[in-house]
Amino acid sequence: MILMYHHVCPRELIPDAQAPLEGWKYNIEPAAFESQLRTLVSRGYRFVTLQNYLASMKEPLFSSLATVTFDDGWTDNFRFAFPMLAAMQIPATLFVVSGEMTDVARSRRMTVAELRQCSEYGVTIGAHTRTHPNLARLKNAELHFEIAGSKVDLEDLLGYSVNYLAYPGGRFNQRVVDVTQEVGFQAACSVISWGINSDASRFWLYRYVFSDELNHLSDRLRLNRWSRRLLSWRAGRALRKMLEAD
């Protein structure tokens, strides 16, 4: 399974003034974040890079693999989450917005130096567009500006190939998928859950968000491989809605 996170920050450090794009409602405290990871390990999940996750899709033990992803590129990821992941030897992927985000202070986002240091923590850098728009509403030229542009921006910044994309807000349609493939990304993440990832879902990879304490019924269902298969029809319904969006 692919886990999706945004902020990992102590509650007392959450700023009072917030821009809508900061998405602080998706915060998890560091202790709860660590507990989730340890719980998954204790349940038999093995954490791998996104690259290895994709390469293992046809292997018998694929259902026991997990990979960690973060969206946007917040400073709290670098400060709290990544040292913890390094200590636990768990790799991760960070999907970075390469340009400016409306009303978001630069101080709340990772610096160039921090992004370059991420590899020391076992973090793969992916793209999250240039400005975090709703891609499903854009025309083709705008899609190329956001999707291809973010790939070029990050590759110029980091000096290596950026192969993965996450759709901002999980919003996409068939045109978005077509452009993502056309400009050379190898895979892309959605925010649709319940689905079973395979080569067929490579450009709308299903990701999971758990409650902080992993104590909800939905958590138990998501952690059970059989219930995920039984409920995968929900992902199919959401996928059809996304692809047909205009």
Side-chain angles (χ1 to χ4, degrees), residues 49-63:
T49 64
L50 182 57
Q51 180 181 4
N52 287 342
Y53 179 87
L54 293 168
S56 302
M57 284 181 168
K58 296 180 181 179
E59 294 183 4
L61 296 179
F62 176 64
S63 63

Side-chain angles (χ1 to χ4, degrees), residues 99-209:
E100 297 301 316
M101 298 173 70
T102 303
D103 297 326
V104 175
R106 250 296 168 191
S107 61
R108 295 184 184 174
R109 301 172 59 197
M110 284 190 213
T111 65
V112 173
E114 288 170 339
L115 287 175
R116 288 174 175 161
Q117 288 179 52
C118 282
S119 59
E120 297 177 13
Y121 289 127
V123 177
T124 299
I125 302 299
H128 202 39
T129 72
R130 274 179 160 159
T131 65
H132 203 287
N134 180 345
L135 293 175
R137 294 180 178 176
L138 301 186
K139 297 179 179 178
N140 281 357
E142 296 169 315
L143 285 176
H144 279 82
F145 173 83
E146 290 288 347
I147 297 173
S150 64
K151 191 177 195 299
V152 171
D153 291 345
L154 291 169
E155 289 177 344
D156 288 346
L157 184 69
L158 300 169
Y160 54 78
S161 181
V162 173
N163 298 318
Y164 310 115
L165 174 75
Y167 304 125
R171 294 164 297 198
F172 67 99
N173 57 22
Q174 188 61 57
R175 289 188 304 110
V176 173
V177 171
D178 292 343
V179 171
T180 300
Q181 293 177 288
E182 177 186 329
V183 303
F185 282 106
Q186 296 177 10
C189 286
S190 73
V191 300
I192 303 172
S193 61
W194 298 110
I196 306 299
N197 280 316
S198 66
D199 281 332
S201 66
R202 181 174 287 267
F203 285 91
W204 47 79
L205 292 167
Y206 305 113
R207 293 193 288 176
Y208 287 79
V209 177

Side-chain angles (χ1 to χ4, degrees), residues 1-3 45-56 59 61-62 64-69 89-93 122 124:
M1 71 172 67
I2 303 177
L3 280 65
Y45 286 92
R46 181 166 64 90
F47 285 99
V48 297
T49 64
L50 182 57
Q51 180 181 4
N52 287 342
Y53 179 87
L54 293 168
S56 302
E59 294 183 4
L61 296 179
F62 176 64
S64 66
L65 299 183
T67 192
V68 177
T69 65
Q89 297 185 309
I90 293 176
T93 300
T124 299

